[in-house]
Amino acid sequence: MDPELPVVRLCGKGMQAEAEGRAEVARELFQQAWDIAADDYEACIAAHYLARHQKSAEETLRWNQECLDRADRVADERVREFYPSLYLNMAHAYRRLGRRALAHHYFLRAAERVCDPAGGRHDRHGQRDHYDHHGQYGDWNRFAIAEGLRATADAVPAEVSDEVSDAPTLPGAAALQPLDAELDGRIRELLARWCARADLKALGLTLPAYLGHLGTEADRVRLRSALHMVHAARWLPADEQTELGAVIGATALR
């Protein structure tokens, strides 16, 4: 975003007010940004921040929908990288309202954009790096999407059909393979033990791959590789070493 745009400057001041705990001042600044927005692009930016300062889940959803609608009207490169966050916000809003099927739909839409082969950084071979996209902010988005997908996985997709017409188009979206409950529980147990004794090396290697697991083949490979690095280092107690080996050998991670 162009930091010289008046709308962006106001939103920057609003974010600073948020950080200082001045919520009402922040909301006023975001409202000012909305009031002076000159086009759909600027309105999209302002609506994004206004959505964070609504008093009801319904109003939060309304402003997130406004933000998404404005981005759709812009429909160019300026908003391409907004979409993971926009869809994630829609998902959170529907989840707060107890509409879990719609929430799951938008978590899938967010996952689609995170894994968009046309966006993000690329390595020296021209392959997109799905895990180095906007640094920590990208990680935060990915972790939130993965958590949302897990939490709404049992929602009924049929409930969505009458309200949204655009199904996710992530390559292989229908074949997304989140960790099964048993394997997820075993990994969580290992993570809990490492947290309890502050094994920062094991946690540092594995948490990003676990928290960002969206169910793609690349996610599976990354998680298995991270766990294998911990196992190969052989610094864990014997029982954990054995359990970690069994987890790595599980069918879901092969």
Side-chain angles (χ1 to χ4, degrees):
M1 293 184 287
D2 181 356
E4 297 307 313
L5 284 175
V7 163
V8 175
R9 287 204 302 270
L10 282 168
C11 289
K13 291 179 181 178
M15 291 174 67
Q16 181 63 37
E18 282 181 335
E20 295 168 354
R22 296 180 293 134
E24 285 303 315
V25 173
R27 190 187 189 288
E28 290 173 8
L29 288 163
F30 297 143
Q31 183 65 55
Q32 290 175 37
W34 170 260
D35 292 340
I36 69 166
D39 56 22
D40 287 323
Y41 175 70
E42 295 183 5
C44 172
I45 294 169
H48 168 74
Y49 290 103
L50 267 176
R52 291 162 31 168
H53 288 269
Q54 300 306 307
K55 294 182 179 179
S56 71
E58 290 80 6
E59 282 299 293
T60 298
L61 174 62
R62 183 176 78 82
W63 279 102
N64 280 320
Q65 184 68 65
E66 182 74 41
C67 179
L68 179 59
D69 290 345
R70 297 296 184 127
D72 287 344
R73 290 178 200 170
V74 175
D76 62 30
E77 291 301 312
R78 290 175 297 167
V79 297
R80 174 187 286 277
E81 294 183 352
F82 290 2
Y83 277 95
S85 180
L86 303 190
Y87 286 133
L88 177 60
N89 290 339
M90 290 290 292
H92 282 319
Y94 276 120
R95 191 176 174 190
R96 283 182 61 196
L97 288 166
R99 302 173 72 178
R100 297 176 66 254
L102 275 166
H104 189 73
H105 168 82
Y106 281 105
F107 283 127
L108 280 174
R109 296 291 301 174
E112 170 193 23
R113 289 307 184 115
V114 165
C115 298
D116 179 3
R121 301 178 185 177
H122 296 74
D123 65 19
R124 62 191 179 91
H125 302 295
Q127 299 299 309
R128 184 177 186 273
D129 183 353
H130 300 297
Y131 296 96
D132 190 15
H133 191 46
H134 294 305
Q136 289 180 322
Y137 180 72
D139 289 343
W140 182 88
N141 267 341
R142 191 180 187 91
F143 297 167
I145 294 165
E147 188 278 329
L149 286 172
R150 287 193 294 267
T152 59
D154 60 341
V156 182
E159 296 175 12
V160 177
S161 58
D162 293 336
E163 299 193 56
V164 291
S165 58
D166 54 338
T169 57
L170 175 67
L176 281 177
Q177 295 294 325
L179 295 171
D180 65 67
E182 189 218 344
L183 184 60
D184 185 69
R186 292 171 71 181
I187 293 174
R188 281 179 172 270
E189 175 60 27
L190 285 167
L191 292 172
R193 293 176 69 173
W194 298 343
C195 283
R197 67 167 183 274
D199 189 334
L200 301 183
K201 290 188 296 181
L203 292 168
L205 282 168
T206 57
L207 275 176
Y210 172 74
L211 293 175
H213 193 289
L214 299 177
T216 67
E217 174 67 9
D219 292 326
R220 184 192 64 78
V221 171
R222 186 173 189 242
L223 179 57
R224 188 178 189 281
S225 297
L227 294 172
H228 191 272
M229 283 189 284
V230 176
H231 187 266
R234 309 193 73 81
W235 71 68
L236 299 176
D239 60 332
E240 291 181 15
Q241 190 76 15
T242 300
E243 171 63 4
L244 182 55
V247 165
I248 293 169
T251 302
L253 283 181
R254 287 179 190 165

